[in-house]
Every structure is written in structure tokens, then in C-alpha cells.
Amino acid sequence: MKLFATLYTAMTLEQLVQSICPAEWGYKKISENEFSLQAAGVQLTLEGCSDILMFGELHLQLSEIDLWVAEFAKLPLSYNIDIHADEARLVRRYQQ
């Protein structure tokens, strides 16, 4: 599934990545304003500052994605996250 999101926060990009990246996932700093998150079934890119774009692919169960996004509620951020099964079919939308 494809993930497209915009995250709004006063946190630095590195703080945000550390906060949303589960222990079993890894992350890599690509540049000052870009990080890559990787794990089995996960390939995401985050870029920007304040208004952060997150995009990539998730090959996880929807229940796993639901639990991951639920953790975002503990953070000082708002977001719009869309999960698509293909280019046209929206599977989930998360907003806060």
C-alpha cells in the first residue's frame, strides 16, 4: 500500500523521526531535511521542516498501521495521512 501524508509540527525533523519510528524500524538521515525509514514491509521518506511530507510504501496489516498511527496522538503534531491500495483506491484516512 502507498502512504501519502503531511505532518505539521514544531518538532525538528530528527525529533519527529525518532518519535514515530518504532524500535524495530530503522532510519537514516539523507540530508538536513530528509530521512528514510525502513523495516520489513516499510519504505518511507520524510522531508521538510514544520510542514513535513511523508510518502512511500507499507506492506503491513491495516491493524498494524492503525496502531502505529494511534501513537501519533501522543505527539505535538497534526497530520493528514492517506493509505492507498493502488493509485486510485483510498483504504484509510487519518486526520488530527
Side-chain angles (χ1 to χ4, degrees):
M1 291 179 279
K2 298 192 182 297
L3 178 145
F4 301 98
T6 306
L7 308 163
Y8 307 95
T9 184
M11 300 169 70
T12 67
L13 182 56
E14 188 160 3
Q15 290 171 327
L16 176 65
V17 168
Q18 291 171 350
S19 298
I20 68 169
C21 191
E24 62 273 10
W25 295 13
Y27 63 88
K28 179 179 173 184
K29 186 174 187 174
I30 306 300
S31 70
E32 189 63 34
N33 293 319
E34 184 177 359
F35 279 80
S36 173
L37 277 60
Q38 298 178 334
V42 177
Q43 178 64 48
L44 297 173
T45 299
L46 286 90
E47 60 183 38
C49 56
S50 298
D51 296 351
I52 297 165
L53 299 177
M54 180 169 56
F55 55 90
E57 294 194 23
L58 296 170
H59 299 285
L60 303 172
Q61 297 294 321
L62 285 172
S63 59
E64 292 176 274
I65 298 170
D66 290 342
L67 290 173
W68 175 58
V69 173
E71 293 295 312
F72 289 23
K74 300 174 184 174
L75 302 172
L77 65 101
S78 59
Y79 54 82
N80 296 303
I81 302 171
D82 290 343
I83 306 291
H84 294 264
D86 55 37
E87 304 306 323
R89 190 166 58 105
L90 180 67
V91 176
R92 286 273 202 287
R93 174 166 284 156
Y94 306 93
Q95 293 180 310
Q96 176 174 307

